[in-house]
Amino acid sequence: MRYISTRGKAPALNFEEVVLTGMATDGGLYVPESFPQMSKAEIADLAGLPYHEAAFRVMRPFVGDSIPEETFRQMLKETYASFSHDAVAPLKQLDSNHFLLELFHGPTLAFKDVALQLLGRLLDHFLAKRGERGVIMGATSGDTGSAAIEGCKPCTHVDIYILHPHNRVSEVQRRQMTTVLAPNVHNIAVEGDFDDCQAMVKASFANQDFLKGQRLIAVNSINWARIMAQVVYYFTSAVALGAPHREVSFSVPSANFGDVFAGYVARKMGLPVKQLIVATNANDILHRTLHDNDFSKKPLEPTLAPSMDIVVSSNFERLLFDLYQQDGSAIADLLETFQKEPTQLDAKAWESARELFDSFSLDDQGILRVIADAFERTGELLDPHTATAYLATQKCAKDAATPVVTLATAHPAKFEDAVIKAGFKEGAKLPLHMSDLLQREEKYSVLPSDLQAIQRFVAEQQALA
Ligand SMILES: *Cc1c(COP(=O)(O)O)cnc(C)c1O
């Protein structure tokens, strides 16, 4: 499998190179040159398989011969053994044709574990093969950092440095990062805000001299392996509901468009996906683009669903590339214009997106109402991100005969604020295996918001100083 850039100018890469590379050198994102096809029989055969085996069959064509088959099988077995539910991504029925796909049974209680547990192991495998060490640096306002840390915990060739704003993340979120005591895990509490953290990580990628030749790796949602890992649960849940003999729709809490794009990839591979519903919070660029063809930025609005607080949806570019018939220079032009001023998608491309995608946006008041209402109707306590998609299903589902799967992207205990505000005074209980989180030992370093100080710290820990 060869991977090409959405902006058409960077060299094509193989799977190993794509995993180790973040953004393409032309500023684009890597996508497969063509989507592998699964036949009806191959899809039907996924029924009843353990999750890791279904994962192997769906992902194998993307991986090709980059990893020996048995090694990859074993890697997937270990990856999904870190989930606390045997089914990994269990499906719950909410009413006659509405289902909830629980993607929060991983170590940090959010769907990002599904991909980051695998990405850590993939990186470790390739770096070990090359005899290299890799350094991961990332900034987090809470959520992605812990999933990345848990994903790297078992790695022997990767050191991870996660910057978070000191005293500005919730206690549960901080502890999910700082109670991981593995020697290759480094938590840095920066005396500044999230933007300071992000700016210092960006500057470190731009000038990597302080690493004296060690490889710096990004694990943000533009890494292709993250999309690939997410394609799997679209297949497993659709097959459980009767695919390939029956169509299935999905409703997805969305921000960077990585998760719902994985659903698009599943459809391209042959899964009969009827409709993809894109749910957003008040940061509604995806809804404005898909519903009104208004492709423009709007200032960030902090919401009760903070993991969906974005200005730009990075992975949307991958969809655009496909809608524009892989015309890299048209995508480069469109995004250059978009960075400067409000713009629109090409009418034909927008119309073809509308055949598959619907969208919906829900503000904070709506989120609180939905959490209360869904509990009353179904007995399920939804997290604020999932709440947006739950209502989007009711507003946008086109065809009553087609089952809709709403993706539950986080456990409600992770977002206690919203749950309490929605009227559940006790909050939501952490699952049993995490109930001692508040008693566990923590390890982190508090550093000033100063690039030199951060880079000196990393170099010292890497014994490069
Ligand atoms: C990251 C995240 C999302 C958004 O996923 P994208 O792939 O960025 O669209 C939704 N819900 C939760 C809980 C998340 O952590």
Side-chain angles (χ1 to χ4, degrees):
M1 172 75 66
R2 274 159 44 95
Y3 292 84
I4 56 176
S5 166
T6 50
R7 304 213 185 163
K9 290 214 173 75
L13 302 179
N14 66 23
F15 180 71
E16 173 174 339
E17 292 161 334
V18 139
V19 170
L20 293 171
T21 309
M23 189 169 282
T25 49
D26 57 4
L29 308 185
Y30 277 103
V31 288
E33 195 171 38
S34 62
F35 291 104
Q37 297 302 304
M38 282 184 72
S39 69
K40 271 195 166 175
E42 286 170 321
I43 295 172
D45 280 349
L46 298 175
L49 293 178
Y51 189 87
H52 60 82
E53 178 61 24
F56 174 77
R57 296 191 190 183
V58 172
M59 289 193 257
R60 182 173 43 183
F62 294 106
V63 174
D65 54 11
S66 296
I67 308 175
E69 284 201 354
E70 272 322 299
T71 308
F72 189 44
R73 262 211 171 89
Q74 192 54 36
M75 190 188 289
L76 290 169
K77 230 176 169 167
E78 284 166 20
T79 297
Y80 294 111
S82 68
F83 281 62
S84 63
H85 195 296
D86 280 348
V88 178
L91 200 56
K92 259 191 194 159
Q93 186 155 11
L94 295 179
D95 65 29
S96 58
N97 244 345
H98 188 181
F99 296 80
L100 196 65
L101 180 61
E102 293 185 348
L103 299 173
F104 52 69
H105 293 283
T108 73
L109 309 181
F111 93 100
K112 291 190 173 67
D113 290 325
V114 177
L116 284 166
Q117 283 292 312
L118 177 61
L119 180 57
R121 288 168 171 89
L122 285 169
L123 289 170
D124 212 39
H125 173 83
F126 290 133
L127 290 167
K129 197 180 91 179
R130 293 167 170 234
E132 286 180 31
R133 268 202 98 70
V135 177
I136 289 173
M137 266 181 97
T140 190
S141 50
D143 223 15
T144 315
S146 57
I149 285 172
E150 283 287 345
C152 290
K153 188 167 72 174
C155 299
T156 55
H157 289 71
V158 178
D159 300 289
I160 180 165
Y161 294 83
I162 295 293
L163 283 59
H164 71 263
H166 189 37
N167 292 332
R168 295 192 202 196
V169 300
S170 77
E171 184 171 14
V172 168
Q173 288 186 327
R174 184 188 75 241
R175 285 179 162 273
Q176 282 194 312
M177 300 191 280
T178 58
T179 59
V180 178
L181 304 177
N184 64 331
V185 170
H186 306 272
N187 277 289
I188 302 176
V190 174
E191 293 171 316
D193 60 20
F194 172 65
D195 291 336
D196 298 328
C197 297
Q198 203 165 32
M200 291 191 287
V201 168
K202 259 198 170 154
S204 300
F205 273 88
N207 183 348
Q208 306 183 8
D209 290 351
F210 69 106
L211 284 177
K212 309 230 159 58
Q214 286 190 0
R215 186 193 278 271
L216 194 58
I217 297 168
V219 293
N220 50 21
S221 73
I222 61 170
N223 195 302
W224 171 257
R226 286 185 60 177
I227 309 276
M228 172 187 82
Q230 291 165 188
V231 175
V232 175
Y233 49 71
Y234 286 91
F235 275 95
T236 57
S237 58
V239 166
L241 295 175
H245 314 295
R246 188 180 184 203
E247 292 186 301
V248 180
S249 297
F250 292 90
S251 178
V252 187
S254 294
N256 273 319
F257 205 74
D259 199 359
V260 68
F261 184 70
Y264 182 79
V265 173
R267 184 171 188 268
K268 283 276 177 178
M269 292 172 71
L271 191 70
V273 175
K274 175 145 191 163
Q275 192 187 3
L276 288 170
I277 301 168
V278 176
T280 73
N281 61 21
N283 296 286
D284 60 355
I285 181 167
L286 288 169
H287 176 54
R288 284 182 292 112
T289 307
L290 290 166
H291 193 261
D292 307 317
N293 201 359
D294 164 16
F295 190 36
S296 67
K297 292 190 243 183
K298 217 174 75 175
L300 188 80
E301 192 175 319
T303 73
L304 291 170
S307 300
M308 287 159 55
D309 290 350
I310 45 108
V311 174
V312 175
S313 280
S314 47
N315 278 295
F316 194 60
E317 180 166 347
R318 288 186 156 120
L319 174 69
L320 292 173
F321 184 64
D322 206 54
L323 296 174
Y324 279 65
Q325 318 291 335
Q326 300 197 333
D327 182 348
S329 62
I331 297 300
D333 289 348
L334 176 69
L335 287 158
E336 203 175 298
T337 309
F338 165 77
Q339 286 304 337
K340 287 189 303 222
E341 63 199 29
T343 184
Q344 292 199 310
L345 311 188
D346 165 76
K348 247 173 74 188
W350 182 70
E351 276 156 24
S352 70
R354 296 277 301 168
E355 286 168 19
L356 178 63
F357 289 95
D358 285 276
S359 64
F360 187 72
S361 158
L362 187 62
D363 65 13
D364 277 358
Q365 284 315 309
I367 287 175
L368 296 178
R369 263 199 323 273
V370 172
I371 293 175
D373 177 59
F375 185 78
E376 196 164 299
R377 284 182 193 224
T378 68
E380 291 294 321
L381 189 53
L382 305 180
D383 97 286
H385 306 80
T386 306
T388 65
Y390 175 90
L391 188 63
T393 297
Q394 294 177 339
K395 297 284 184 194
C396 301
K398 269 185 188 149
D399 164 19
T402 304
V404 186
V405 176
T406 292
L407 274 55
T409 49
H411 190 287
K414 262 195 114 152
F415 298 96
E416 194 149 74
D417 271 12
V419 171
I420 292 172
K421 279 193 183 136
F424 301 86
K425 302 229 164 12
E426 317 269 284
K429 271 212 183 75
L430 284 166
L432 209 54
H433 64 101
M434 288 190 59
S435 55
D436 66 337
L437 184 69
L438 300 183
Q439 280 82 50
R440 290 183 200 164
E441 184 188 345
E442 291 186 84
K443 189 184 102 183
Y444 61 98
S445 309
V446 181
L447 293 180
S449 178
D450 172 63
L451 183 62
Q452 261 78 46
I454 303 287
Q455 295 189 338
R456 204 177 319 120
F457 177 83
V458 175
E460 276 166 18
Q461 299 295 317
Q462 295 300 105
L464 299 169

